[in-house]
Amino acid sequence: PDTAALCYSYGFSFSPFLSASCRHFHSSNSLWPSSLSEKAGMSRQYLGEIEAPNMVTTMSLEGLFNIANALKIPAFKLLEFRD
């Protein structure tokens, strides 16, 4: 089985990392969520779901790269653990 399937079967989610990272980077870049969502090509509501700390949502790799490109950071930075 692939890593994603194993993570899903054990209840692991990247959502908490992604949520905190999105908020951290768009705040440190002085980007409003509406600006980030526009630059990433997604709705403000969907970005809000991604950034919500206790909400588990799905996202494609394309969405991950779109957010990273809008923030001008490498995509892996969005998946790094941060306190």
Side-chain angles (χ1 to χ4, degrees):
D2 65 286
T3 305
L6 285 172
C7 289
Y8 180 77
S9 66
Y10 287 101
F12 181 80
S13 171
F14 287 107
S15 294
F17 306 124
L18 188 59
S19 170
S21 292
C22 278
R23 286 191 315 273
H24 167 78
F25 284 111
H26 87 68
S27 294
S28 64
N29 288 338
S30 300
L31 270 178
W32 287 94
S34 56
S35 299
L36 177 57
S37 64
E38 185 178 323
K39 288 181 180 199
M42 58 184 57
S43 73
R44 173 63 192 104
Q45 180 181 354
Y46 182 52
L47 181 64
E49 290 174 8
I50 293 167
E51 291 186 335
N54 296 319
M55 180 175 264
V56 176
T57 188
T58 59
M59 182 196 302
S60 67
L61 282 175
E62 180 181 12
L64 178 74
F65 281 96
N66 288 346
I67 291 172
N69 288 336
L71 292 169
K72 298 180 179 160
I73 60 169
F76 77 88
K77 291 281 189 186
L78 291 171
L79 300 176
E80 288 184 325
F81 176 76
R82 68 181 69 257
D83 290 329

